[in-house]
Amino acid sequence: MISNSQVLNILSNGKPEPKNKKWYGEPNLGSYYGKEEINAVNKVLRDSKHWSNGFGPNSSEITTFEKDFANYCNVKYSIAVSNNGDGFDMVLSTLNLTTKDEIIAPSINFKAWHMALHRYRCKMVFCDIDINTMNIDLTDLEKKITSKTRLICPVHMGGIACDVDKIDILAKKYSKKYGTKICVVYDSARAAGVNYKKSKVGNGGLCEIFSFHGAKLMTTFGEGGMITTNNKSLWNKLKEMQSYGGEYSWGLNYRMSKVEAAFGIEQLKRLDEMNNKRIRVAKRRISNLKGLKNIILPSNPDYSQSIYYLFPILVDTDWGYKERNYIIETLEKKYDIVCSIPKFINKRWKFISQNYGIPELKNTEDFYNRVFCPIIHPLLNKKQELFISSAIINTINQITFLK
């Protein structure tokens, strides 16, 4: 851990560049890009300039990106889409859901999937999380599966994979028990390149749906998504739906543009490099903060090495909401470090609470009240990291002194 004298010395030198901007827990650009992406986009613009070419929907760039991403995830099929939420809406429309069906999902997430589910008027069953991984708790999941369960929506939340094999086994077990197919669709918005055992996520359940929003681990020019599946029937349906349904079925414009795909091809090539840099930054921070009392640093389960989309720090159980909030407020006010808090969606958004209520989820509630996530990014340098770590140490020392 950095010593108190080092902390004071580092902070006395002031905030490193960029000094006049807030450092967000989820930066506006979660990846980085270089001349390869710029050249790829410029090439598409040049090649599309003539009226005979243009920006048509069936471009080689989109096909190449889909094949490259499928190969990366070791999955048979990929479908490039406009974003993660649209991708989920597409999948939902293939499942013939009714108002009597039950959907199991965690409450720690962004609201996008729950907004999509709302249109189908199914019964939402909220599942607790494992505090150590931020992912769905398997014990609570099994308790909540019933004869009416049609869909389970686990979330690879902050850089650690869900235990995909165990979740898929549970779905098969209860599908057989109740005689009704239970599908599993994984929210992989924050999971591009995340490791599960010896593979990349993307192979689980009926399908997995990734996000390439600008804040995510890789981006396709700020927006975009990808559905991965080994199910050929689903792939055929989604490919038609992606572009107004073809000749014989329903659909809308869920397409990714070829400019986005060209950018994504190059981002994918550097994804492992970017994620490995995140891991190095996280390990450096853990070393800086190790031994600091009253906080719990992130750790890894045996089946997945975190790539730290988020860097979640929990205040100790002897502390709570009050101390956590003091840390967040002080880091922003004194150091322009704005921490993220993974959202308990039923409490964060009135629309969700009005339509679904606020479930009693012990771990979710505890986690939501104790967690804070300071900025992490693959390009954070040593000087910036020392400042972040020192700001955290100094703030926590202030609380200890006041107590």
Side-chain angles (χ1 to χ4, degrees):
M1 189 176 82
I2 306 171
S3 69
N4 287 336
S5 60
Q6 288 175 310
V7 165
L8 294 175
N9 182 56
I10 291 164
L11 294 178
S12 69
N13 292 324
K15 184 182 177 183
E17 294 293 345
K19 291 182 179 181
N20 298 320
K21 292 190 176 182
K22 292 183 182 295
W23 296 3
Y24 289 96
E26 296 179 67
N28 294 325
L29 181 64
S31 63
Y32 56 84
Y33 62 91
K35 63 181 181 181
E36 294 83 0
E37 288 89 346
I38 294 169
N39 290 341
V41 169
N42 284 338
K43 183 178 186 304
V44 170
L45 295 176
R46 287 194 301 270
D47 292 349
S48 304
K49 190 176 180 180
H50 194 269
W51 56 264
S52 63
N53 211 0
F55 296 98
N58 301 313
S59 73
S60 61
E61 290 84 1
I62 295 171
T63 302
T64 298
F65 186 37
E66 289 176 333
K67 288 180 179 178
D68 287 354
F69 200 82
N71 289 336
Y72 180 83
C73 295
N74 192 28
V75 68
K76 291 181 181 178
Y77 310 106
S78 284
I79 304 100
V81 292
S82 46
N83 58 64
N84 167 278
D86 279 352
F88 184 50
D89 196 42
M90 292 168 69
V91 173
L92 288 175
S93 70
T94 70
L95 299 181
N96 299 314
L97 296 170
T98 73
T99 55
K100 296 179 180 179
D101 295 328
E102 294 180 355
I103 315 297
I104 301 176
S107 282
I108 295 292
N109 200 359
F110 184 64
K111 65 178 177 177
W113 278 34
H114 301 80
M115 297 297 272
L117 281 164
H118 179 71
R119 295 200 303 117
Y120 294 85
R121 304 292 177 176
C122 302
K123 180 183 177 182
M124 284 299 306
V125 178
F126 292 98
C127 185
D128 216 344
I129 62 163
D130 179 333
I131 287 179
N132 295 316
T133 64
M134 296 188 280
N135 295 333
I136 202 164
D137 180 82
L138 296 176
T139 301
D140 195 46
L141 170 61
E142 187 164 14
K143 288 178 182 177
K144 289 177 175 174
I145 297 174
T146 72
S147 59
K148 295 180 180 180
T149 303
R150 286 292 314 281
L151 178 63
I152 302 170
C153 300
V155 183
H156 305 295
M157 182 60 202
I160 296 174
C162 296
D163 199 335
V164 173
D165 290 346
K166 290 184 179 179
I167 294 170
D168 288 353
I169 287 169
L170 280 177
K172 290 175 184 176
K173 173 184 173 180
Y174 286 96
S175 292
K176 184 176 181 181
K177 177 179 178 178
Y178 294 125
T180 305
K181 175 73 173 176
I182 299 173
C183 295
V184 184
V185 176
Y186 288 87
D187 185 350
S188 304
R190 309 163 187 84
V194 168
N195 297 297
Y196 177 65
K197 296 183 177 179
K198 295 182 179 180
S199 304
K200 305 292 186 184
V201 301
N203 245 311
L206 174 66
C207 64
E208 304 206 24
I209 309 174
F210 295 82
S211 172
F212 303 135
H213 178 272
K216 298 303 188 287
L217 296 162
M218 61 171 282
T219 186
T220 49
F221 225 51
E223 290 289 354
M226 189 75 77
I227 305 169
T228 58
T229 184
N230 288 310
N231 187 305
K232 188 174 183 179
S233 175
L234 177 66
W235 177 74
N236 283 329
K237 290 176 183 176
L238 296 177
K239 285 300 287 183
E240 287 193 347
M241 192 186 305
Q242 178 193 39
S243 188
Y244 296 106
E247 295 293 330
Y248 304 105
S249 58
W250 178 90
L252 286 172
N253 181 359
Y254 293 108
R255 298 188 300 261
M256 176 181 287
S257 75
K258 70 181 193 178
V259 175
E260 292 169 327
F263 197 95
I265 290 167
E266 300 304 322
Q267 281 276 281
L268 184 61
K269 291 175 184 177
R270 66 168 89 238
L271 179 58
D272 285 345
E273 170 195 298
M274 294 190 293
N275 286 345
N276 286 333
K277 286 183 177 181
R278 278 181 176 268
I279 293 170
R280 287 198 290 272
V281 170
K283 287 182 175 179
R284 190 166 60 203
R285 182 176 299 172
I286 290 169
S287 177
N288 289 345
L289 299 177
K290 191 174 183 180
L292 182 61
K293 294 180 180 179
N294 300 306
I295 63 168
I296 300 169
L297 296 170
S299 59
N300 296 302
D302 57 7
Y303 58 82
S304 181
Q305 159 68 59
S306 179
I307 49 80
Y308 300 98
Y309 173 75
L310 295 173
F311 191 90
I313 302 174
L314 289 166
V315 299
D316 195 76
T317 51
D318 291 337
W319 287 7
Y321 184 80
K322 181 179 177 181
E323 289 83 1
R324 190 282 307 272
N325 281 3
Y326 178 87
I327 293 168
I328 290 173
E329 290 165 7
T330 302
L331 288 174
E332 180 171 4
K333 186 175 180 180
K334 289 186 68 175
Y335 307 109
D336 273 346
I337 297 171
V338 183
C339 295
S340 292
I341 302 174
K343 306 297 187 292
F344 187 166
I345 61 166
N346 306 71
K347 289 193 169 186
R348 171 60 182 81
W349 285 288
K350 287 185 179 180
F351 182 86
I352 302 295
S353 62
Q354 287 170 353
N355 285 277
Y356 297 124
I358 300 175
E360 292 186 15
L361 300 168
K362 182 180 177 182
N363 290 348
T364 299
E365 183 79 34
D366 185 35
F367 175 82
Y368 185 61
N369 287 334
R370 291 168 50 209
V371 71
F372 65 100
C373 303
I375 180 174
I376 188 159
H377 191 276
L379 293 185
L380 282 176
N381 60 41
K382 186 176 180 180
K383 189 174 182 180
Q384 292 164 334
E385 184 52 55
L386 284 171
F387 178 79
I388 295 164
S389 298
S390 296
I392 293 168
I393 292 169
N394 198 47
T395 301
I396 289 171
N397 284 344
Q398 287 176 14
I399 298 176
T400 305
F401 177 76
L402 291 172
K403 282 183 173 286

